[in-house]
């Protein structure tokens, strides 16, 4: 499994170097394609104090805007720390997207400790996330940070 994460991280780097217009969407597709237990992969960015859904792959969701503090996504925006929920039925502050979702991991994108955006992954598998997932996804977010800053400033100009 570790090797798969390492190989996928190299592919993420390759896409970043190619710098396509649909960079974040390409990253979402790659992660969903390569890692079996990633069933919905998307980015939310913080805009005017609210999380706004960006590029994603997987079933369409009605949760295109989420308040800070609400759900797993909102808690990560508030605390700036990765959250792993191995069984979503045990989490009170959770926003259900579909009944198939059993578990979720949300990783923040931070700049100098300030929350900018997050990578949200939903899984149909129960308890699929290992410390390797956390390390891998935190690395993905770190190497994407300059691109996310760029995309946020492009859109606000
Ligand atoms: N389950 C999330 C909501 C977003 S969807 O997973 C796409 C949450 O509790 O914040």
């Amino acid at each position: 499994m570790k090797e798969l994460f390492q190989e996928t991280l190299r592919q993420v780097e390759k896409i970043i170097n190619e710098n396509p217009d649909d960079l974040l969407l390409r990253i979402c597709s790659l992660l969903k394609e390569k890692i079996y237990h990633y069933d919905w992969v998307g980015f939310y960015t913080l805009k005017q104090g609210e999380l706004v859904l960006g590029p994603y792959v997987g079933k369409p969701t009605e949760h295109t805007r989420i308040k800070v503090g609400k759900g797993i996504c909102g808690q990560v925006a508030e605390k700036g720390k990765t959250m792993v929920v191995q069984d979503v039925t045990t989490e009170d502050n959770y926003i259900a997207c579909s009944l198939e979702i059993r578990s979720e991991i949300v990783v923040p994108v931070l700049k100098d400790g300030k929350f900018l955006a997050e990578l949200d992954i939903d899984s149909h598998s129960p308890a699929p996330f290992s410390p390797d997932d956390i390390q891998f996804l935190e690395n993905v977010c770190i190497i994407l940070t300059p691109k996310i800053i760029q995309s946020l400033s492009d859109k606000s100009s």
Side-chain angles (χ1 to χ4, degrees):
M1 196 64 195
K2 251 198 161 110
E3 267 171 39
L4 177 62
F5 284 131
Q6 280 164 358
E7 182 197 312
T8 310
L9 194 61
R10 281 195 292 275
Q11 287 172 313
V12 169
E13 281 167 348
K14 189 167 175 279
I15 295 174
I16 291 175
N17 288 334
E18 287 166 6
N19 200 21
D21 288 344
D22 58 349
L23 174 85
L24 294 181
L25 184 62
R26 293 265 302 272
I27 303 289
C28 293
S29 305
L30 174 76
L31 299 189
K32 183 173 185 294
E33 201 177 288
K34 298 287 287 190
I35 316 290
Y36 171 80
H37 55 284
Y38 295 178
D39 294 296
W40 189 97
V41 181
F43 288 92
Y44 283 91
T45 49
L46 189 66
K47 287 181 186 155
Q48 282 135 21
E50 209 178 25
L51 289 169
V52 179
L53 181 62
Y56 71 93
V57 290
K59 274 196 189 158
T61 174
E62 60 189 34
H63 304 293
T64 54
R65 285 175 178 269
I66 297 176
K67 293 206 177 351
V68 171
K70 297 278 175 213
I72 314 297
C73 291
Q75 292 179 71
V76 170
E78 194 168 54
K79 295 176 187 141
K81 291 216 172 76
T82 297
M83 257 186 94
V84 181
V85 180
Q86 301 283 20
D87 175 359
V88 293
T89 64
T90 64
E91 181 63 44
D92 290 337
N93 190 0
Y94 168 70
I95 303 166
C97 277
S98 92
L99 293 175
E100 290 164 298
I101 305 301
R102 306 286 298 276
S103 50
E104 176 163 5
I105 181 169
V106 183
V107 179
V109 176
L110 305 167
K111 165 75 178 158
D112 301 330
K114 189 170 162 259
F115 178 90
L116 299 178
E118 63 192 22
L119 174 58
D120 178 16
I121 295 180
D122 289 342
S123 178
H124 298 170
S125 306
F129 302 116
S130 70
D132 289 345
D133 288 89
I134 299 175
Q135 199 185 13
F136 165 66
L137 294 170
E138 289 185 345
N139 277 325
V140 169
C141 285
I142 288 168
I143 61 176
L144 274 176
T145 304
K147 294 292 170 193
I148 295 205
I149 292 171
Q150 202 182 333
S151 77
L152 285 169
S153 64
D154 286 351
K155 275 162 202 158
S156 60
S157 62

